[in-house]
Amino acid sequence: MSVINRYKPHHTMRQLIRDNNLLLMAISRFNIAFGFGEGTVRDVCAANEVDMDTFLAVCNLLSDNDYGDFDISLSSMIDYLKRAHSTFLDYTLPQIRHKLIDAINYSETNEVAFQLIKFYDDYVDEVQKHMAHENEVIFGYVEGLMQGRIDDNFSISDFSVNHGHMATKLQDLKDVFICHYNQRDNTRLSSVLFDIIVCEKDFLSHFEIERSLFVPAVERLEDSLRSRCGVHEDSSNAGGDGGDALTARLSKREKDIIAGVAKGLANKEIADRLCLSVNTVTTHRRNICAKLGIHSAAGLTIFAILHHLVDLGDVSPGQ
């Protein structure tokens, strides 16, 4: 738990590290060189060409401090997240695998050990695919937004940041070893389990940075760009069914989900029709409710009818 209530530009980097040693990882992922002596956050960020507000927001979030009111730089945030991905994929996860093989009785005749390593390898493959998708698709989309390009067929809410299952799988692996893998002389195994615990916490912090800092910053940029587009469409297409301020704030995917709700579909049915996960649909509905201030299926149905998102004949009688 942090002792300093909130990190500010005048605090020294050494004060931050003494307050929370785990900030060393964040400093590294901002590509800040060590050897900063008694330099303040302001001076060190300037010397390393790092956006100070983004750095402070991340450090305060990681220390359970108030991280609001910082102006997030999406460029700096993307650089940070990409370096975090590289740390996980190029160092942390391979090191854990190497230590796992060294710690357990791993041979072709030990089927349990073989299955444990396979479980881990499958998990790493899932993480690699997820982070490659973020690096190529999500960050590419955001970089387009930063250049003023808006994609009507996608929004950041299509990107589910509910990644808790990734940390859960690591926890499952850890629990299997602790509760079911009967092996004496566990010094090396205890060491790798500690590494798994640290990695699990690092993953959760990483996902929280995406959820609480990255995604809201992208949503603000989306809203700004779509607001400009909405004003233009209003002036050139007055009376159109998509030009009002409320529908302009919704992505095409969000409109499809509202239509599904109006038709009486459950979240799983909507997910199946739109080729999404149920978690993604749930995230969309939460975002829709926040944007529109409508929190019931009946209210969303009325909204869908009034804004021509669904034909009246398709509306479920039970809505």
Side-chain angles (χ1 to χ4, degrees):
M1 182 63 69
S2 174
V3 175
I4 302 175
N5 291 330
R6 194 176 197 226
Y7 306 137
K8 298 178 181 179
H10 70 271
H11 285 122
T12 67
M13 297 291 283
R14 290 184 67 177
Q15 283 178 303
L16 268 62
I17 295 169
R18 286 170 179 165
D19 194 61
N20 182 359
N21 291 333
L22 295 179
L23 293 181
L24 283 168
M25 290 189 292
I27 291 171
S28 174
R29 290 168 188 176
F30 275 106
N31 204 26
I32 293 176
F34 293 153
F36 35 67
E38 295 296 331
T40 65
V41 170
R42 179 185 290 106
D43 293 339
V44 172
C45 285
N48 288 270
E49 299 181 336
V50 170
D51 182 79
M52 184 181 66
D53 270 19
T54 306
F55 175 78
L56 284 171
V58 168
C59 290
N60 277 296
L61 184 150
L62 292 176
S63 299
D64 295 324
N65 296 336
D66 178 16
Y67 55 84
D69 301 327
F70 290 108
D71 187 12
I72 301 297
S73 162
L74 282 172
S75 176
S76 186
M77 180 60 70
I78 288 174
D79 286 345
Y80 172 90
L81 294 174
K82 284 182 176 180
R83 288 193 190 94
H85 290 175
S86 295
T87 300
F88 286 124
L89 298 178
D90 300 336
Y91 177 76
T92 305
L93 294 174
Q95 282 289 99
I96 289 176
R97 186 184 194 275
H98 177 77
K99 292 180 71 172
L100 269 176
I101 292 175
D102 187 52
I104 64 179
N105 180 20
Y106 181 68
S107 67
E108 292 182 0
T109 59
N110 188 338
E111 182 64 24
V112 175
F114 177 79
Q115 291 299 327
L116 287 168
I117 297 299
K118 184 178 183 303
F119 178 97
Y120 183 79
D121 287 346
D122 289 344
Y123 166 76
V124 171
D125 184 61
E126 179 183 349
V127 174
Q128 287 174 330
K129 290 177 180 177
H130 174 83
M131 291 186 172
H133 175 73
E134 287 188 11
N135 287 345
E136 296 165 15
V137 178
I138 304 303
F139 297 158
Y141 165 74
V142 176
E143 287 163 353
L145 289 176
M146 292 161 60
Q147 296 171 16
R149 299 195 305 269
I150 190 75
D151 185 348
D152 291 333
N153 296 316
F154 186 83
S155 73
I156 196 63
S157 59
D158 291 320
F159 165 54
S160 173
V161 292
N162 183 21
H163 312 311
H165 66 287
M166 289 190 181
T168 300
K169 284 192 174 183
L170 271 183
Q171 184 176 1
D172 290 344
L173 179 65
K174 176 191 65 183
D175 289 345
V176 166
F177 277 115
I178 293 173
C179 300
H180 305 289
Y181 193 74
N182 190 354
Q183 171 182 296
R184 293 184 179 275
D185 187 18
N186 287 322
T187 302
R188 286 178 296 177
L189 184 57
S190 297
S191 176
V192 72
L193 290 176
F194 179 79
D195 289 348
I196 290 174
I197 291 169
V198 173
C199 183
E200 176 190 346
K201 291 181 178 179
D202 197 7
F203 266 133
L204 290 173
S205 296
H206 177 75
F207 301 148
E208 185 62 23
I209 287 169
E210 289 183 330
R211 187 184 72 84
S212 297
L213 297 178
F214 176 66
V215 170
V218 177
E219 288 177 333
R220 288 192 292 272
L221 180 56
E222 284 178 333
D223 288 345
S224 175
L225 290 175
R226 289 191 172 122
S227 177
R228 295 177 205 168
C229 293
V231 170
H232 177 72
E233 290 170 0
D234 281 344
S235 62
S236 62
N237 186 28
D241 59 12
D244 63 84
L246 281 176
T247 54
R249 296 185 63 195
L250 299 171
S251 68
K252 181 179 182 301
R253 184 71 75 196
E254 288 171 332
K255 293 175 184 178
D256 290 340
I257 289 174
I258 292 174
V261 173
K263 293 174 184 178
L265 302 178
N267 283 356
K268 187 178 187 311
E269 294 173 302
I270 296 173
D272 290 342
R273 292 197 183 190
L274 298 179
C275 298
L276 301 172
S277 70
V278 175
N279 282 337
T280 300
V281 172
T282 301
T283 299
H284 275 307
R285 289 193 63 168
R286 185 166 58 246
N287 291 338
I288 289 166
C289 292
K291 288 181 180 181
L292 302 181
I294 300 173
H295 301 279
S296 68
L300 290 175
T301 300
I302 294 171
F303 179 90
I305 295 170
L306 292 176
H307 293 273
H308 310 290
L309 301 182
V310 65
D311 292 331
L312 189 57
D314 293 332
V315 174
S316 170
Q319 297 288 33

